Amino acid sequence: MSYKALYRIYRPQDFNEVAGQKHITTTLKNALVNDKVAHAYLFSGPRGTGKTSIAKIFAKAVNCVKAPTENPCNECENCKGIQSGVISDIIEIDAASNNGVDEIREIRDKVKYLPGYVKYKVYIIDEVHMLSTGAFNALLKTLEEPPQHVIFILCTTEPQKIPLTIHSRCQRFDFKSITTKDIISKLKEIVELEKLNIEEEALAQIAIHAEGGLRDAISLLDQASSYSPEKITLDDVNQISGAVSAQMLIGLAEALVQGNSTKAIELLDALITEGKEVKKINMNLIEFFRDILMARNLRNLDENNYLYKDEQFIQLSKMISNKMTLYILDVLINAANEIKWSNSPKIYLELAFIKITDNEVSSSSRIISMIDDLENRLSEVEKIKEDVDNYKEKESENRILEIVNKAEETEEKDLLEDINIEEQQYEDELDEETPQEVFEKQLCDDIDETYSIEFVESILNNGDRQDKSILINKWNNISKTYSNDEEKYIAQILETGTVVASAVNKIIITFPSVSICNKLMNDSNKKFAINILARHYNRKIDFIALPDSVFTDITDEFKALWTQNKGGYINLSKIRCEGLVNVNKEVIENETETKPKIVTDALDLFGDIVKVKK
C-alpha cells in the first residue's frame, strides 16, 4: 500500500510544529534544556490534539545525540531510528488491546534491562484508562521508582478513570482543544504543500466540524480531496461530514420562528432523504441558534465563522428575540437527550418542531410572542417620551417669555426683578438638569398613591416563606385561570412575574419591565388580577407589582436596617421612581375625539404629563 494518510505525513516532527499546545511544548522544552526530565508523565486531553505526537517528539529529544536540547535534531541516527520505528527502545503500547495484568507484568520484568541503542527506554502507553484495576496495581511500584534509564508517558482521553495513585506518580499535562483559528492555519499549510484547490468557507467548515481535533480536521480534508479532486467546495464538505448546509439551516430556522410547522417538517424530511442523520440535524440546529445568540449579544464575533457574514442570517438574528431563541434552544436540547436513547429519533425532532411552532393560547411559544409584541409596542411609546420632553421644554420657555412681556407692558420694576430672578433660576436648573431628568422628576411626583411603601413594609415585616412557596408552586398555571378575554390577557402577564414575598393576604410580584408594573397597577387591570388570584388560590390576595431593580434596592435597605435594629418593625424610604407613575391619576383633558391606540397606551403609561399635539 503506497498511499499514506495526510495526518501521518504531516505529523509534527519537533515541538515547533505542534499546533495549539504552546503551554505544554514550552514546559517540556525548558525541562529538556535544563536536564530536568521526570520519570513519568501523564498526557490527558481530547482526541487528535497531539498527545502521542508530543510523546514521540519527547522520546527523540531525550535520546538525541545533541541532548540536552530543546528540540530533536531529526538528523542523527537516533532521531531517524526512532522516527522510522527501527529502534526498539521506544515502546508504544495500546492499552485498549493490552490491558491485562500479564502484559503489565511483562513490562515490569523488562524495565530493569538497559536500552540497547539509546540512552533512555521510553514506554508510551496510549489509552491508559483502559487498563484493568489489576494492571494499574501491577504498574504502581514500577511507575513510582523506575530505573534511571526508563521514562513512562501515559496518554488518555479520560483522565477521570485513572486511579489517583497513578496521578500522584506522574507529571500531568492537560491538552486543550485546538482553536478553529489554529486548525485553519495548519490546514492552509497542508493545502499549499499538497496544492489542493479548496474554498475558504469549506476550509472553515472542516475546522468547525473537527471540534478542536486537528487530526480529525486533516482526515476530513484528506477525505474531501478524494471526493472532489478538482475543487473542494462547502457543499462537498457538508456531504462527506453529514453536516447541514447554512442555507438549509436558515430555511429551517425561519420556518420555526414564523410558526410554520408544515414547512419545517417538510425540510426535515428532505434532509433525511439526502442521508443526513437526525442527531446531526438537531445538533446543527442547536449550534445555529447558539450562533444567533452570539450575533445578538456579542461585539467580537468569531471571524472564522462565515455564517456571521451571511445576510439572511443577519436579518434572521434581528427578527428573533433572546427569549424566543433561548426557548427554542431549550426545546432542541431536550429533544437531543431523547434522541440519544431512542430507536425512532425523527419522531422526537418532529415533536420538538411542533412544540416550537405551537400557536395555542396557553403555549409557551405564544406567550413569549405576546410578550415580544408588548415590548415592541412599549418601545414605540418610549418614542413619545422624546416628544414630551421637547414639548415641556418649549412650554417652559414660552411661560417665561410671557411673564417678561407682561412685566414690560405694566412697567412694574419689582415684578420685572422677580421675573429676572425666576428666569435666571430656571436657566440654572436647565444647566444642571437634562430634559430627561426633568421628565423623570415630574414622573416621580406623587407615586405613593399607587406604589405604597407602607404596603411593602407590611409584607416584608410579616413575611411567610411557606405561603410564598405555595404560591410559587402553582404560579405557572395562572394563565389557565380566566373567565373572559380581558382576564386572559392579565393572567398571561401575571404569569411572567415572580412572587418574591408574601404575607398570606398580600404579596409582592416583580417584573423585568417598568411598563408592565404600571399596566398591572391600573385600577381596572388590578381588579382583574385580584379576581384571577382569588379563583386560582381560593382566597383573596392583594398585591403590588414592582420592577426587579426597585425591589432589589428595597430589600438591600431592609436587610441593612434589620441588621442595625436587630429585629423590630422596619420603616423604609419611599419607593424611588425609575419610570413608575401614579397610574390612576385622572387626565384632565376636554378632548372628545377618538385617540389612536399608541396615544392611549402612552396615556395609560405616563398619565397627565402627556400632551397630544393637534
Side-chain angles (χ1 to χ4, degrees):
M1 185 175 64
S2 59
Y3 182 74
K4 194 173 183 180
L6 288 181
Y7 82 87
R8 294 179 62 196
I9 295 172
Y10 293 101
R11 172 168 273 174
Q13 300 302 312
D14 61 39
F15 291 121
N16 296 332
E17 294 181 7
V18 176
Q21 308 296 347
K22 190 174 181 181
H23 63 297
I24 293 174
T25 57
T26 301
T27 306
L28 291 177
K29 285 197 292 185
N30 290 337
L32 287 164
V33 169
N34 296 306
D35 201 18
K36 292 184 177 180
V37 176
H39 66 277
Y41 295 91
L42 175 61
F43 291 172
S44 66
R47 70 182 189 278
T49 53
K51 298 185 294 297
T52 308
S53 296
I54 289 180
K56 289 181 177 180
I57 294 169
F58 188 78
K60 286 191 295 182
V62 294
N63 289 309
C64 182
V65 171
K66 297 179 181 180
T69 177
E70 66 176 21
N71 259 320
C73 68
N74 290 321
E75 296 175 355
C76 66
E77 291 299 321
N78 290 354
C79 288
K80 289 179 179 179
I82 294 171
Q83 185 63 41
S84 61
V86 298
I87 293 181
S88 59
D89 295 323
I90 310 302
I91 305 102
E92 189 172 354
I93 302 167
D94 178 18
S97 54
N98 299 278
N99 57 3
V101 176
D102 293 338
E103 287 86 350
I104 301 302
R105 283 176 178 167
E106 185 179 352
I107 294 173
R108 187 184 62 188
D109 293 339
K110 289 181 178 179
V111 294
K112 58 188 176 183
Y113 299 116
L114 291 170
Y117 301 96
V118 292
K119 183 178 180 181
Y120 291 100
K121 267 188 178 181
V122 181
Y123 286 88
I124 302 172
I125 305 178
D126 203 8
E127 301 299 335
V128 71
H129 63 273
M130 299 291 287
L131 291 179
S132 64
T133 303
F136 274 125
N137 291 334
L139 184 63
L140 274 177
K141 189 64 178 175
T142 304
L143 200 63
E144 183 175 20
E145 296 179 1
Q148 292 185 351
H149 59 268
V150 174
I151 297 172
F152 283 94
I153 302 177
L154 314 181
C155 303
T156 178
T157 55
E158 299 184 53
Q160 72 279 2
K161 292 185 178 180
I162 297 175
L164 294 178
T165 48
I166 298 292
H167 274 270
S168 64
R169 288 165 168 80
C170 302
Q171 280 192 16
R172 175 170 169 175
F173 290 86
D174 291 320
F175 287 64
K176 61 184 180 181
S177 295
I178 302 172
T179 64
T180 304
K181 183 178 180 181
D182 286 339
I183 292 177
I184 291 175
S185 177
K186 195 68 178 178
L187 290 179
K188 283 182 177 178
E189 292 179 16
I190 296 173
V191 165
E192 187 175 345
L193 291 169
E194 293 291 321
K195 295 181 172 53
L196 299 176
N197 187 5
I198 183 170
E199 294 178 350
E200 285 287 336
E201 291 182 351
L203 204 64
Q205 178 69 345
I206 290 174
I208 293 169
H209 181 78
E211 297 179 346
L214 181 57
R215 183 177 64 227
D216 291 352
I218 298 173
S219 295
L220 186 57
L221 176 64
D222 198 359
Q223 188 178 351
S225 66
S226 299
Y227 179 80
S228 180
E230 298 298 324
K231 183 177 181 179
I232 304 170
T233 66
L234 178 60
D235 287 337
D236 295 332
V237 174
N238 288 334
Q239 283 291 332
I240 63 175
S241 66
V244 183
S245 69
Q247 294 307 311
M248 187 63 84
L249 283 173
I250 291 171
L252 256 177
E254 284 180 344
L256 294 175
V257 172
Q258 293 167 2
N260 191 342
S261 58
T262 303
K263 183 179 178 182
I265 292 175
E266 286 176 354
L267 291 172
L268 174 62
D269 290 338
L271 287 170
I272 293 174
T273 303
E274 290 178 8
K276 308 296 184 186
E277 293 183 4
V278 173
K279 181 180 178 182
K280 189 68 176 178
I281 296 169
N282 189 48
M283 186 54 61
N284 284 162
L285 274 173
I286 290 172
E287 292 169 351
F288 181 86
F289 282 103
R290 172 261 183 196
D291 286 336
I292 283 183
L293 274 182
M294 298 300 104
R296 286 180 56 84
N297 297 283
L298 296 184
R299 292 182 180 178
N300 298 321
L301 298 173
D302 182 4
E303 59 183 17
N304 298 308
N305 193 335
Y306 61 89
L307 195 60
Y308 293 138
K309 302 171 186 176
D310 188 284
E311 190 60 34
Q312 284 182 278
F313 174 83
I314 294 169
Q315 292 302 319
L316 181 61
S317 66
K318 292 177 181 178
M319 281 174 50
I320 187 171
S321 67
N322 281 351
K323 287 192 292 294
M324 181 58 77
T325 307
L326 289 168
Y327 171 70
I328 292 173
L329 280 170
D330 187 49
V331 174
L332 292 175
I333 290 169
N334 287 334
N337 293 330
E338 298 292 343
I339 288 169
K340 187 187 299 182
W341 309 108
S342 173
N343 292 325
S344 304
K346 182 186 174 187
I347 293 174
Y348 287 102
L349 193 52
E350 288 173 338
L351 291 175
F353 285 0
I354 292 171
K355 184 175 181 180
I356 290 168
T357 57
D358 188 7
N359 201 32
E360 291 190 3
V361 174
S362 59
S363 69
S364 298
S365 59
R366 177 67 181 277
I367 291 172
I368 292 172
S369 295
M370 290 176 66
I371 293 172
D372 287 341
D373 290 340
L374 178 62
E375 289 181 348
N376 289 334
R377 285 178 55 199
L378 292 175
S379 66
E380 291 179 4
V381 174
E382 288 291 327
K383 294 177 182 177
I384 295 178
K385 288 175 64 178
E386 296 180 10
D387 293 336
V388 174
D389 291 338
N390 296 332
Y391 175 79
K392 291 183 70 62
E393 185 176 356
K394 186 175 181 180
E395 284 293 301
S396 299
E397 291 173 354
N398 290 339
R399 175 173 58 84
I400 292 175
L401 186 59
E402 183 181 340
I403 296 172
V404 170
N405 290 337
K406 182 179 178 181
E408 290 175 348
E409 289 172 4
T410 56
E411 297 182 352
E412 293 179 5
K413 294 182 180 180
D414 293 339
L415 179 60
L416 187 56
E417 290 177 2
D418 292 339
I419 291 167
N420 289 334
I421 293 170
E422 180 179 349
E423 182 179 13
Q424 184 60 47
Q425 289 175 343
Y426 179 73
E427 288 175 355
D428 291 342
E429 289 175 359
L430 286 180
D431 290 338
E432 294 172 359
E433 299 178 336
T434 63
Q436 178 65 24
E437 290 170 338
V438 173
F439 177 76
E440 290 179 353
K441 183 181 290 185
Q442 295 195 24
L443 276 180
C444 291
D445 290 346
D446 193 25
I447 68 164
D448 198 49
E449 182 180 339
T450 300
Y451 296 96
S452 169
I453 191 62
E454 289 80 8
F455 189 94
V456 175
E457 288 172 355
S458 66
I459 296 173
L460 295 181
N461 282 292
N462 299 284
D464 189 325
R465 292 186 179 179
Q466 185 176 358
D467 186 65
K468 173 183 157 185
S469 298
I470 293 170
L471 294 171
I472 291 173
N473 287 338
K474 291 182 65 179
W475 195 258
N476 288 336
N477 294 321
I478 285 179
S479 60
K480 299 178 182 178
T481 309
Y482 58 83
S483 60
N484 53 52
D485 288 340
E486 290 86 351
E487 285 193 356
K488 180 172 82 171
Y489 175 67
I490 298 301
Q492 289 171 344
I493 292 178
L494 272 176
E495 198 171 276
T496 65
T498 305
V499 179
V500 292
S502 171
V504 181
N505 62 335
K506 297 178 182 178
I507 62 173
I508 300 173
I509 313 171
T510 60
F511 296 87
S513 170
V514 174
S515 302
I516 290 177
C517 296
N518 288 332
K519 193 80 173 175
L520 274 180
M521 292 303 289
N522 176 276
D523 271 349
S524 58
N525 292 337
K526 189 171 183 180
K527 287 176 183 176
F528 284 132
I530 288 174
N531 289 336
I532 292 166
L533 293 174
R535 279 197 303 274
H536 192 62
Y537 292 106
N538 296 320
R539 56 187 165 99
K540 186 174 181 180
I541 302 174
D542 196 0
F543 72 88
I544 186 170
L546 294 173
D548 292 328
S549 59
V550 171
F551 184 72
T552 299
D553 291 342
I554 289 173
T555 52
D556 288 344
E557 182 185 5
F558 187 88
K559 290 174 184 176
L561 292 173
W562 179 272
T563 303
Q564 292 174 11
N565 299 340
K566 296 182 180 179
Y569 194 90
I570 304 299
N571 293 308
L572 299 167
S573 306
K574 282 193 173 186
I575 295 174
R576 62 183 177 81
C577 174
E578 285 200 354
L580 299 175
V581 297
N582 180 9
V583 294
N584 299 309
K585 190 172 182 180
E586 292 184 359
V587 179
I588 305 174
E589 293 283 347
N590 294 322
E591 297 176 1
T592 57
E593 64 269 24
T594 304
K595 299 178 180 64
K597 181 165 178 51
I598 194 70
V599 175
T600 59
D601 284 349
L603 290 169
D604 286 342
L605 288 171
F606 301 109
D608 61 352
I609 63 167
V610 176
K611 305 295 183 184
V612 182
K613 294 181 179 180
K614 298 289 183 76

